Amino acid sequence: MDVRGIGMTSQRTRDRLVRRLAERGIDDPQVLDVMGRVPRHIFVDEALAHRAYEDSALPVGHGQTISQPFIVALMTQLLMQKHPRRVLEVGTGTGYQTAVLAELVDSVFSVERIEALLVRARERLSVLGATNVRLRLGDGYAGWRNEAPFDGILVTAAPREIPTALTDQLAVGGRMVVPVGSSGTQELKIIDRTPDGLVSETIEYVRFVPLLKGVQPMEGG
Ligand code: SAH
């Protein structure tokens, strides 16, 4: 994964990020390892690349953001507790979270509603050689019916309420990680499908961009 000249400096700043994630309570060794390996700087504009290993969200255009590394690590850790093999991600964005998941599970299916973001995410993921990822332009409210069920579903934009199309696509024994609520602050929830039905728990308060309806194709496309 040595792209765009990752040198010692970049590895040192990534190691520092991993230490910070551990201090904040991320304790799954495989999640910490992956956070230390996936080059976040290739998922942001070159002008922001020097801030890529700060623990903060960054703007990525189209009114969207790349999530804060701590939140990516936390959501990934919560999902991995169920050892999923097939995972649906709603909200590809830059593809950074997708790349993290691709290192940990067999197959990642990711849906994005803004075509321009999807095109760039596809390029970046192919540079990294992530071959177990499928991306699709679509409205993630509907999930990815043809590929369901999934052992894990990770939603990286906030719906006001949990979309039933998504819980319907969750396998028994599977877990969905999703921020739920109106703009401003949301509750990060885990929703487990048990043999007896859905069980949900709130983990903490978070801030995500809203999950929006419909798709935004590229102009002239
Ligand atoms: N996981 C991303 C974070 C992206 S921010 C990353 O690591 O970069 C949330 C993303 O969700 C945005 O790209 C936004 O366009 C997308 N999104 C919002 N509503 C959506 C919907 N209904 N279906 C699919 N994607 C959606």
Side-chain angles (χ1 to χ4, degrees):
M1 273 204 192
D2 212 80
V3 284
R4 215 201 271 173
I6 304 168
M8 292 300 286
T9 317
S10 170
Q11 190 55 55
R12 267 205 304 275
T13 51
R14 259 187 276 170
D15 292 346
R16 192 161 62 217
L17 173 64
V18 168
R19 281 199 299 278
R20 181 180 154 88
L21 296 175
E23 277 161 23
R24 288 200 62 182
I26 304 299
D27 56 10
D28 180 334
Q30 60 171 351
V31 173
L32 289 171
D33 174 59
V34 170
M35 295 299 295
R37 281 193 288 116
V38 175
R40 189 169 182 254
H41 67 277
I42 75 156
F43 292 91
V44 298
D45 283 344
E46 239 157 318
L48 285 173
H50 66 288
R51 298 187 54 197
Y53 301 101
E54 290 175 14
D55 190 20
S56 54
L58 295 169
V60 296
H62 306 273
Q64 304 304 316
T65 54
I66 183 170
S67 306
Q68 181 192 2
F70 172 69
I71 294 297
V72 171
L74 177 64
M75 292 176 87
T76 305
Q77 174 164 293
L78 291 166
L79 197 77
M80 291 312 295
Q81 285 167 357
K82 295 291 178 185
H83 309 291
R85 302 181 64 172
R86 286 164 56 84
V87 170
L88 172 69
E89 178 189 29
V90 174
T92 317
T94 63
Y96 174 65
Q97 170 80 72
T98 323
V100 169
L101 290 171
E103 289 282 316
L104 293 166
V105 306
D106 290 352
S107 322
V108 185
F109 300 84
S110 186
V111 186
E112 169 59 51
R113 65 177 287 279
I114 300 178
E115 189 175 14
L117 288 176
L118 190 73
V119 166
R120 286 167 67 194
R122 200 184 291 288
E123 283 167 12
R124 288 159 168 158
L125 289 163
S126 90
V127 166
L128 292 184
T131 52
N132 56 342
V133 171
R134 281 179 57 200
L135 304 179
R136 186 166 76 86
L137 180 68
D139 183 341
Y141 268 103
W144 194 323
R145 205 167 298 276
N146 294 344
E147 293 293 345
F150 301 97
D151 316 308
I153 300 180
L154 199 154
V155 186
T156 71
R160 283 176 177 265
E161 282 161 21
I162 296 161
T164 50
L166 294 183
T167 46
D168 286 351
Q169 291 176 27
L170 197 56
V172 174
R175 168 172 289 180
M176 173 154 74
V177 183
V178 55
V180 186
S182 48
S183 57
T185 306
Q186 303 104 24
E187 294 184 345
L188 183 65
K189 289 183 178 287
I190 53 177
I191 295 147
D192 292 341
R193 179 174 288 287
T194 73
D196 303 323
L198 298 174
V199 178
S200 90
E201 188 187 328
T202 297
I203 303 298
E204 68 171 78
Y205 291 90
V206 289
R207 289 180 72 110
F208 276 83
V209 295
L211 194 70
L212 300 175
K213 294 229 157 86
V215 299
Q216 190 177 308
M218 267 163 43
E219 283 177 26

